[in-house]
Amino acid sequence: MFARVVATVIVTLAMSAPSWAAAAPGDFQIFQDVSKQVLRYPQFTIFDSVNAQVVEGVVTLSGKVTMPYKRNDIERRIAEVAGVKQVNNEITVLPVSLFDDELRFRISRALYGNSNFWRYGSMVNPPIHIIVENGRVTLEGVVNSNIDRMLARSIASSFDAFEVTNNLRTDAEAKAELEKI
């Protein structure tokens, strides 16, 4: 179950229960297929975050990616998913910045180099995503415990970021969110 939750939530696919309740029967399957397509995109890294919402076969993508071609490639991949009628691509491209690049790499090395996070770093799609925009850091994804969430924030805060926002959720929170759907 944990692997399914991580695969679904890493991408930070945002869904609200009311939209699912009124949605077409195939929307949940489309949502799962969209999640797989994003996670299987070889250029999708821990420095990117993609959110999706599916309503009656219309997929709305949002989030942030590090390169413009990723935005276009992801849209193309999602458009090919069975049942998708339309793709609204609202993914933004993060600005080019040497400071942001350095900050991304320093935080990722410190985070995934910490022995508490080795098991996450060894996954095919590591669950903690580090989004850096204009010196502001946002952590997104799923961790096993509240302790891991607090430790990740502490590690990210030890660098020269202007601000650190911790949007990490625990596995239990992610499971509860999926059960609402």
Side-chain angles (χ1 to χ4, degrees):
M1 177 72 177
F2 175 73
R4 185 174 142 226
V5 170
V6 169
T8 303
V9 181
I10 284 177
V11 187
T12 321
L13 296 172
M15 301 302 298
S16 60
S19 69
W20 278 113
D27 281 355
F28 186 68
Q29 183 61 48
I30 293 170
F31 170 74
Q32 290 178 319
D33 293 344
V34 165
S35 174
K36 287 177 188 173
Q37 284 299 318
V38 172
L39 290 172
R40 290 181 181 164
Y41 176 52
Q43 304 304 319
F44 186 71
T45 70
I46 61 170
F47 306 125
D48 303 309
S49 174
V50 173
N51 309 308
Q53 185 173 21
V54 181
V55 177
E56 296 180 12
V58 177
V59 179
T60 302
L61 299 172
S62 61
K64 299 176 187 276
V65 293
T66 54
M67 301 297 287
Y69 70 85
K70 291 181 182 184
R71 178 184 191 279
N72 300 331
D73 288 353
I74 290 171
E75 178 180 3
R76 227 179 339 262
R77 291 174 73 91
I78 301 311
E80 295 174 2
V81 170
V84 172
K85 296 175 185 172
Q86 179 182 340
V87 178
N88 298 326
N89 191 348
E90 299 173 5
I91 298 172
T92 58
V93 179
L94 294 166
V96 176
S97 165
L98 291 175
F99 177 77
D100 285 357
D101 286 344
E102 184 178 317
L103 193 55
R104 282 181 193 102
F105 290 119
R106 288 174 56 208
I107 291 172
S108 67
R109 279 193 301 268
L111 189 67
Y112 286 113
N114 183 297
S115 61
N116 289 6
F117 297 100
W118 287 349
R119 67 184 175 277
Y120 299 117
S122 66
M123 294 176 172
V124 173
N125 289 307
I128 302 172
H129 288 248
I130 304 158
I131 310 305
V132 180
E133 184 173 17
N134 299 320
R136 288 169 174 69
V137 177
T138 302
L139 300 176
E140 296 184 356
V142 177
V143 292
N144 287 336
S145 68
N146 202 32
I147 292 171
D148 286 349
R149 176 176 29 203
M150 291 186 298
L151 181 58
R153 181 180 181 14
S154 176
I155 290 170
S157 296
S158 65
F159 294 92
D160 295 331
F162 298 126
E163 177 183 7
V164 175
T165 303
N166 190 352
N167 291 338
L168 293 172
R169 292 174 291 180
T170 65
D171 186 39
E173 292 168 340
K175 284 179 187 177
E177 193 174 303
L178 280 178
E179 288 172 359
K180 287 180 186 178
I181 297 175

